[in-house]
Amino acid sequence: MFTGIVRELGAVEALEDSTSGVRLRVRAPETAAGAAVGDSVSVNGVCLTAVAADDGVLAFDAVPETLRRSSLGRLAAGARVNVEPALRAGEPLGGHFVQGHVDGVGRVRRADAEGLEIEAGGEILRYCVEKGSIAVEGVSLTIAALGESSFTVALVPHTREVTTLGAVAQGDEVNLEADVLAKHVERLLQR
């Protein structure tokens, strides 16, 4: 479980093919210092299991399911990524409940001084409500407006500075996770 409050900007050191998908190596010294093999870490909103944590670098194995549902497989060495260690008991919940289970990839339609407009599929938009929560690249955000095929989020200067969202441009792909509470309500109402 995560909060969507990014703790560190990491840098991709390598993305290498493996027999089970890809091995992703991320330089994130602060997170790596407190991580152990088996720990969950959010990388651009994707919950990954650390398979190594050495000298400021975390390694993860991303399986085909993860690569299909996210943009992780399109990262390249040097790319900046949002990193958040898993929430620990007693820590404040500053964002919203984020699982790190990416629902899909959206595309930035507009990036301006106010924020981002993101195109998303119906499988994500059906869980979106104005003033509701959504995770974009692992960042907990509030939906400012909702359209037929997109939603808009405002970005405060602090978020632009400490996450990758400050460098997002029109046409970029972003990982999206809808609010898990909306998914559970839908499931309950279907019964």
Side-chain angles (χ1 to χ4, degrees):
M1 183 72 61
F2 304 95
T3 65
I5 304 298
V6 172
R7 300 293 181 204
E8 184 174 12
L9 268 176
V12 174
E13 287 212 334
L15 190 71
E16 303 156 342
D17 289 332
S18 72
T19 57
S20 62
V22 298
R23 171 69 53 101
L24 173 64
R25 293 176 38 84
V26 176
R27 177 160 296 283
E30 292 174 35
T31 305
V37 171
D39 283 357
S40 293
V41 177
S42 172
V43 177
N44 277 0
V46 180
C47 179
L48 297 171
T49 301
V51 296
D54 301 310
D55 297 323
V57 177
L58 293 160
F60 310 95
D61 290 326
V63 297
E65 166 70 4
T66 301
L67 299 172
R68 277 191 299 275
R69 287 196 182 253
S70 74
S71 63
L72 285 186
R74 292 181 282 289
L75 291 172
R80 303 294 284 174
V81 290
N82 296 320
V83 179
E84 180 188 357
L87 182 64
R88 298 188 193 283
E91 290 182 335
L93 180 64
H96 73 278
F97 291 115
V98 176
Q99 294 182 297
H101 303 163
V102 170
D103 293 304
V105 175
R107 186 170 303 281
V108 176
R109 181 181 287 174
R110 177 181 47 79
D112 59 27
E114 192 170 330
L116 305 172
E117 180 182 0
I118 300 170
E119 293 177 25
E123 73 280 2
I124 294 167
L125 290 173
R126 75 178 191 234
Y127 300 118
C128 295
V129 295
E130 192 170 315
K131 304 303 179 211
S133 298
I134 192 158
V136 177
E137 292 290 282
V139 180
S140 175
L141 297 169
T142 301
I143 297 168
L146 190 57
E148 288 294 318
S149 61
S150 66
F151 64 89
T152 303
V153 292
L155 296 177
V156 298
H158 178 77
T159 300
R160 290 180 187 275
E161 292 169 16
V162 301
T163 73
T164 61
L165 297 182
V168 169
Q170 181 179 351
D172 286 353
E173 291 184 331
V174 290
N175 293 322
L176 302 175
E177 181 185 335
D179 190 346
V180 68
L181 298 176
K183 295 176 201 174
H184 283 292
V185 168
E186 178 186 64
R187 177 77 171 147
L188 290 170
L189 290 175
Q190 287 176 346
R191 293 185 176 197

